[in-house]
Amino acid sequence: MILDLDIGNTLSKWRLKDTESSEIRSRGAVWTREEWRPGADIPDLDVVEAVRISSVARREVLNDTVALLRTRVPRVYVGCSTREALGVTNGYDEPWRLGVDRWLGALAGYQLAGGCCAVDCGSAITVDFVLPGGAHAGGYIVPGLRLMKESLRLGTRNVAIDPEGEEDTLLTPGRTTVDAVNHGIYVAAISAVQRIYSEVCDQHGVALPMLLTGGDARVVSRGVAVPHAVWPDMVYGGLEACFPLTLAERAGRMSGAPDVPASPALEKIRAGLAFSMLL
């Protein structure tokens, strides 16, 4: 078995993948903590042959996790942001400072679509662009839904937006404080994603497919008008591309990869952007 770990600031997600069939056998998540210890909520390391890690947690957390795993697992691979990988050139002046989850998402998106807008809807919402040809154009970081809610300090942080709720309802004025907060941050999030997408496509003269991932991707997806696909395993896809261990991975097949979404016409993007600037 292969254990893939995506250690975030809030949650540490994991999945077990069969080495022979390349099928996902199980998955789960735990709160990110100081030490990553096997237990009831962690897979049995006795069946694991290799571990691949993406981590944006503190360096000490990653070091302790790697040290533990290396005492139990034959092979441990740790993703890191580099100046170039898999045909993609990092757009950061200091490439190692780009969050590895963003880098892996950009790499996976490029392998799938040959240029993309990769949106990760987690604690923060990150939007990164890889142009056709592999140039990472940089990205944006805005507060995620939960961070925006916490910043208002109105006692609504534990009331989540219903991921099955109708987007038309979420775009109407709230009639309670909770609804007003939920609807406001929802509009802020989808407006930011769509405006960023339009601005960058206009600047570079290219219409890119949009891919969404992260814990709030399903919620954000319901309101984003740009054609897009939700790919929950996009960061894992980057780990697969960087450290291919199965026959399917070596053949370039990433688990759960969606069909490449159709991109809107550049003229339509520019017309919508021009209209929004008049408002």
Short mmCIF file of all heavy atoms in Angstrom, two decimals, residues 117 190 193-195 197-198 201 208-210 212 221 223-229 261-264 269:
data_model
loop_
_atom_site.label_atom_id
_atom_site.label_comp_id
_atom_site.label_asym_id
_atom_site.label_seq_id
_atom_site.Cartn_x
_atom_site.Cartn_y
_atom_site.Cartn_z
N CYS A 117 -6.05 27.23 -14.31
CA CYS A 117 -6.23 28.05 -13.11
C CYS A 117 -6.58 27.07 -11.99
O CYS A 117 -7.63 26.42 -12.03
CB CYS A 117 -7.36 29.05 -13.32
SG CYS A 117 -7.88 29.92 -11.81
N ILE A 190 -16.70 33.84 -4.07
CA ILE A 190 -16.88 33.53 -5.50
C ILE A 190 -16.57 34.75 -6.36
O ILE A 190 -16.05 34.61 -7.48
CB ILE A 190 -18.29 32.99 -5.79
CG1 ILE A 190 -19.37 34.02 -5.47
CG2 ILE A 190 -18.54 31.69 -5.04
CD1 ILE A 190 -20.77 33.58 -5.90
N VAL A 193 -12.71 34.87 -6.72
CA VAL A 193 -12.21 33.84 -7.64
C VAL A 193 -12.49 34.23 -9.09
O VAL A 193 -11.61 34.16 -9.96
CB VAL A 193 -12.83 32.47 -7.31
CG1 VAL A 193 -12.53 31.45 -8.42
CG2 VAL A 193 -12.32 31.96 -5.97
N GLN A 194 -13.70 34.67 -9.35
CA GLN A 194 -14.08 34.99 -10.74
C GLN A 194 -13.37 36.23 -11.25
O GLN A 194 -12.95 36.29 -12.40
CB GLN A 194 -15.60 35.13 -10.84
CG GLN A 194 -16.30 33.82 -10.57
CD GLN A 194 -17.81 33.86 -10.77
OE1 GLN A 194 -18.40 32.89 -11.20
NE2 GLN A 194 -18.44 34.98 -10.44
N ARG A 195 -13.21 37.25 -10.40
CA ARG A 195 -12.53 38.46 -10.83
C ARG A 195 -11.04 38.19 -11.09
O ARG A 195 -10.46 38.65 -12.09
CB ARG A 195 -12.70 39.57 -9.78
CG ARG A 195 -12.01 40.89 -10.14
CD ARG A 195 -12.56 41.48 -11.45
NE ARG A 195 -11.92 42.71 -11.80
CZ ARG A 195 -12.37 43.94 -11.47
NH1 ARG A 195 -13.48 44.06 -10.75
NH2 ARG A 195 -11.74 45.02 -11.84
N TYR A 197 -9.69 35.34 -11.91
CA TYR A 197 -9.61 34.54 -13.14
C TYR A 197 -9.70 35.43 -14.37
O TYR A 197 -8.88 35.33 -15.30
CB TYR A 197 -10.74 33.50 -13.14
CG TYR A 197 -10.84 32.71 -14.43
CD1 TYR A 197 -10.03 31.61 -14.66
CD2 TYR A 197 -11.75 33.08 -15.43
CE1 TYR A 197 -10.13 30.88 -15.84
CE2 TYR A 197 -11.85 32.36 -16.61
CZ TYR A 197 -11.03 31.27 -16.81
OH TYR A 197 -11.13 30.56 -17.99
N SER A 198 -10.67 36.32 -14.38
CA SER A 198 -10.88 37.19 -15.55
C SER A 198 -9.70 38.13 -15.76
O SER A 198 -9.25 38.34 -16.90
CB SER A 198 -12.17 38.00 -15.37
OG SER A 198 -13.29 37.14 -15.30
N CYS A 201 -6.57 36.05 -17.09
CA CYS A 201 -6.79 35.61 -18.47
C CYS A 201 -6.68 36.79 -19.43
O CYS A 201 -6.10 36.68 -20.52
CB CYS A 201 -8.17 34.94 -18.60
SG CYS A 201 -8.27 33.29 -17.87
N LEU A 208 -8.12 29.86 -19.67
CA LEU A 208 -7.62 28.64 -19.05
C LEU A 208 -8.74 27.83 -18.42
O LEU A 208 -9.70 28.40 -17.89
CB LEU A 208 -6.59 28.98 -17.97
CG LEU A 208 -5.33 29.69 -18.45
CD1 LEU A 208 -4.54 30.21 -17.25
CD2 LEU A 208 -4.47 28.75 -19.28
N PRO A 209 -8.63 26.51 -18.42
CA PRO A 209 -9.59 25.70 -17.66
C PRO A 209 -9.38 25.92 -16.16
O PRO A 209 -8.24 26.11 -15.71
CB PRO A 209 -9.26 24.26 -18.07
CG PRO A 209 -7.84 24.31 -18.55
CD PRO A 209 -7.65 25.68 -19.14
N MET A 210 -10.46 25.89 -15.40
CA MET A 210 -10.39 26.10 -13.96
C MET A 210 -10.64 24.78 -13.23
O MET A 210 -11.56 24.04 -13.55
CB MET A 210 -11.43 27.14 -13.50
CG MET A 210 -11.39 27.41 -12.00
SD MET A 210 -12.71 28.54 -11.42
CE MET A 210 -12.15 30.10 -12.12
N LEU A 212 -10.94 23.17 -9.24
CA LEU A 212 -11.14 23.49 -7.83
C LEU A 212 -10.84 22.28 -6.96
O LEU A 212 -11.19 21.15 -7.31
CB LEU A 212 -12.59 23.91 -7.57
CG LEU A 212 -12.96 25.39 -7.70
CD1 LEU A 212 -12.72 25.87 -9.12
CD2 LEU A 212 -14.41 25.64 -7.30
N SER A 221 -17.85 25.91 -5.61
CA SER A 221 -18.20 25.48 -6.96
C SER A 221 -19.62 25.85 -7.34
O SER A 221 -19.90 26.19 -8.49
CB SER A 221 -18.02 23.96 -7.08
OG SER A 221 -18.56 23.46 -8.28
N GLY A 223 -21.29 28.40 -6.81
CA GLY A 223 -21.52 29.78 -7.19
C GLY A 223 -20.63 30.31 -8.29
O GLY A 223 -20.85 31.41 -8.81
N VAL A 224 -19.59 29.55 -8.65
CA VAL A 224 -18.65 30.02 -9.67
C VAL A 224 -19.25 29.80 -11.05
O VAL A 224 -19.57 28.67 -11.43
CB VAL A 224 -17.30 29.28 -9.54
CG1 VAL A 224 -16.38 29.64 -10.70
CG2 VAL A 224 -16.63 29.63 -8.22
N ALA A 225 -19.40 30.88 -11.80
CA ALA A 225 -20.04 30.81 -13.11
C ALA A 225 -19.08 30.33 -14.21
O ALA A 225 -19.51 29.83 -15.23
CB ALA A 225 -20.61 32.18 -13.49
N VAL A 226 -17.76 30.50 -13.98
CA VAL A 226 -16.78 30.04 -14.97
C VAL A 226 -16.85 28.51 -15.05
O VAL A 226 -16.87 27.84 -14.02
CB VAL A 226 -15.36 30.47 -14.54
CG1 VAL A 226 -14.32 29.91 -15.51
CG2 VAL A 226 -15.26 31.98 -14.45
N PRO A 227 -16.89 27.94 -16.25
CA PRO A 227 -16.86 26.47 -16.36
C PRO A 227 -15.64 25.92 -15.63
O PRO A 227 -14.53 26.44 -15.76
CB PRO A 227 -16.76 26.23 -17.87
CG PRO A 227 -17.35 27.47 -18.49
CD PRO A 227 -16.98 28.60 -17.58
N HIS A 228 -15.85 24.89 -14.84
CA HIS A 228 -14.77 24.37 -14.00
C HIS A 228 -15.04 22.91 -13.65
O HIS A 228 -16.12 22.38 -13.92
CB HIS A 228 -14.65 25.19 -12.72
CG HIS A 228 -15.89 25.14 -11.86
ND1 HIS A 228 -16.97 25.95 -12.10
CD2 HIS A 228 -16.23 24.34 -10.82
CE1 HIS A 228 -17.93 25.68 -11.22
NE2 HIS A 228 -17.51 24.69 -10.45
N ALA A 229 -14.06 22.27 -13.04
CA ALA A 229 -14.21 20.92 -12.52
C ALA A 229 -13.69 20.89 -11.10
O ALA A 229 -12.73 21.60 -10.76
CB ALA A 229 -13.45 19.91 -13.39
N PRO A 261 -12.26 20.74 -18.01
CA PRO A 261 -13.44 21.58 -18.28
C PRO A 261 -13.22 22.49 -19.47
O PRO A 261 -12.10 22.94 -19.73
CB PRO A 261 -13.61 22.39 -16.98
CG PRO A 261 -12.23 22.42 -16.38
CD PRO A 261 -11.59 21.11 -16.74
N ALA A 262 -14.29 22.76 -20.18
CA ALA A 262 -14.21 23.68 -21.31
C ALA A 262 -13.92 25.09 -20.81
O ALA A 262 -14.45 25.51 -19.78
CB ALA A 262 -15.51 23.66 -22.09
N SER A 263 -13.09 25.81 -21.52
CA SER A 263 -12.77 27.19 -21.16
C SER A 263 -13.71 28.14 -21.90
O SER A 263 -14.03 27.90 -23.07
CB SER A 263 -11.32 27.53 -21.52
OG SER A 263 -10.43 26.65 -20.88
N PRO A 264 -14.16 29.20 -21.26
CA PRO A 264 -14.98 30.18 -21.99
C PRO A 264 -14.13 30.91 -23.02
O PRO A 264 -12.90 30.95 -22.92
CB PRO A 264 -15.44 31.13 -20.88
CG PRO A 264 -14.40 31.01 -19.81
CD PRO A 264 -13.92 29.58 -19.86
N ILE A 269 -14.78 36.44 -21.67
CA ILE A 269 -14.14 36.81 -20.41
C ILE A 269 -13.87 38.31 -20.37
O ILE A 269 -14.16 38.99 -19.38
CB ILE A 269 -12.82 36.03 -20.23
CG1 ILE A 269 -13.11 34.53 -20.09
CG2 ILE A 269 -12.05 36.54 -19.02
CD1 ILE A 269 -11.86 33.67 -20.09
#
